Amino acid sequence: MSILEVENLKKSFGSLEVLKQISFDVNKNDVIAVIGPSGSGKSTMLRSLVQLEEIDGGSISVNGEYMVKGGAYSKPQQVKQIISKMGMVFQHFNLFPHLTVRENLELAPKLLKQGTVAENRALSMELLEKVGLSDKADVLPAKLSGGQKQRVAIARALMRKPDILLFDEPTSALDPELTGEVLRVMKDLAKEHMTMIVVTHEMEFAKDVASKVIFMDNGEIIESGNPRDVLTTPKMERTKTFLHRTLSR
């Protein structure tokens, strides 16, 4: 059974139709790379999975439980419970500047009364070790590079032990050197069989790490499938045009 099922997702901002009948599913351990030009609806689609955008139609279910079905959301408590199974990593880190790295990780479990102080401390240090930042636990975010901030954001998303991790262009605000250190962490997570959906412009990452690529344009899924098929021998003209422009830069 799919861990995530998305069916006929629709979203408009006024008269602008941003998502048009978006449907796909994600199996456990999948790494889905979502590619496409700016303004194609990729981020809106991703944000709708955790109700940062409310959809106008369609269905989203996680592990067989519906967050929204036929455009109607489940009860708030059930929606909250389903969203808790997903972690989100944003383009611009969204760390709290007045909290140390460790405090940023431990804030959500503390507010939600999940785990003891000792358990959360042990987990935060374990995750900082995983992303190579255990020596930065007591540092404020202002003292970190962009790549370090993004690695902290990944560790923070892992604190709630999500079934699925969502990444919204996690390297687009970073220079190439810092991009590499973030992508290494994401590749390690893929090797550990973390289920991930990654909106990205990193074509090499999509080709080497993803189990499936989805190409979106103008609010629609134009093409999806095996990364090497989609990225090297795409069937659709719009995919070919996008890849030619992207890869020739």
Side-chain angles (χ1 to χ4, degrees):
M1 187 176 76
S2 300
I3 191 170
L4 171 70
E5 294 186 7
V6 176
E7 188 177 2
N8 298 327
L9 220 60
K10 293 190 286 186
K11 173 68 179 177
S12 296
F13 294 114
S15 60
L16 179 63
E17 200 174 7
V18 181
L19 299 177
K20 307 169 184 176
Q21 306 286 350
I22 295 289
S23 296
F24 65 94
D25 54 23
V26 179
N27 293 322
K28 190 173 173 60
N29 306 334
D30 274 352
V31 178
I32 309 294
V34 184
I35 64 171
S38 297
S40 59
K42 306 184 303 294
S43 292
T44 301
M45 180 275 290
L46 199 71
R47 289 168 63 85
S48 72
L49 300 181
V50 288
Q51 210 189 9
L52 291 174
E53 301 287 356
E54 291 213 351
I55 63 168
D56 301 321
S59 303
I60 301 169
S61 65
V62 178
N63 290 327
E65 291 185 85
Y66 279 98
M67 183 175 99
V68 53
K69 186 173 184 179
Y73 280 86
S74 298
K75 292 180 179 178
Q77 192 57 38
Q78 185 176 357
V79 170
K80 186 177 178 182
Q81 180 193 1
I82 291 169
I83 289 172
S84 73
K85 297 174 183 177
M86 295 181 275
M88 183 94 170
V89 179
F90 298 91
Q91 180 178 344
H92 292 293
F93 330 128
N94 291 4
L95 301 177
F96 291 102
H98 63 293
L99 299 179
T100 66
V101 164
R102 182 175 48 73
E103 289 168 341
N104 264 281
L105 265 65
E106 296 170 12
L107 180 62
K110 178 181 176 181
L111 293 176
L112 295 167
K113 297 182 171 60
Q114 293 178 336
T116 65
V117 171
E119 287 169 344
N120 291 330
R121 177 65 46 84
L123 180 58
S124 67
M125 293 309 298
E126 176 189 328
L127 292 173
L128 288 174
E129 179 76 31
K130 181 192 283 284
V131 300
L133 291 171
S134 55
D135 60 329
K136 304 293 186 184
D138 296 314
V139 169
L140 290 172
K143 300 289 186 182
L144 303 178
S145 71
Q148 289 171 330
K149 289 176 184 175
Q150 194 60 291
R151 285 186 280 154
V152 172
I154 293 171
R156 181 179 60 182
L158 290 167
M159 276 296 288
R160 298 186 66 189
K161 302 176 183 177
D163 294 335
I164 308 169
L165 259 188
L166 312 178
F167 292 85
D168 189 7
E169 301 194 20
T171 61
S172 62
L174 306 176
D175 65 35
E177 183 180 354
L178 300 181
T179 291
E181 58 185 59
V182 173
L183 291 178
R184 278 193 293 275
V185 170
M186 294 171 67
K187 288 176 182 177
D188 287 343
L189 289 172
K191 288 175 186 172
E192 294 168 11
H193 307 297
M194 185 76 212
T195 307
M196 299 190 282
I197 305 175
V198 186
V199 171
T200 184
H201 292 291
E202 300 292 336
M203 296 302 154
E204 286 302 313
F205 174 85
K207 188 185 291 184
D208 295 341
V209 181
S211 51
K212 180 179 180 181
V213 168
I214 292 173
F215 170 63
M216 288 181 65
D217 191 17
N218 195 30
E220 300 175 291
I221 293 178
I222 305 302
E223 190 165 353
S224 65
N226 177 282
R228 295 197 177 271
D229 292 341
V230 175
L231 296 173
T232 58
T233 55
K235 297 174 183 175
M236 306 302 291
E237 203 57 46
R238 280 156 80 183
T239 316
K240 292 176 186 176
T241 302
F242 168 76
L243 290 171
H244 177 72
R245 287 176 182 161
T246 302
L247 298 174
S248 61
R249 281 174 189 166

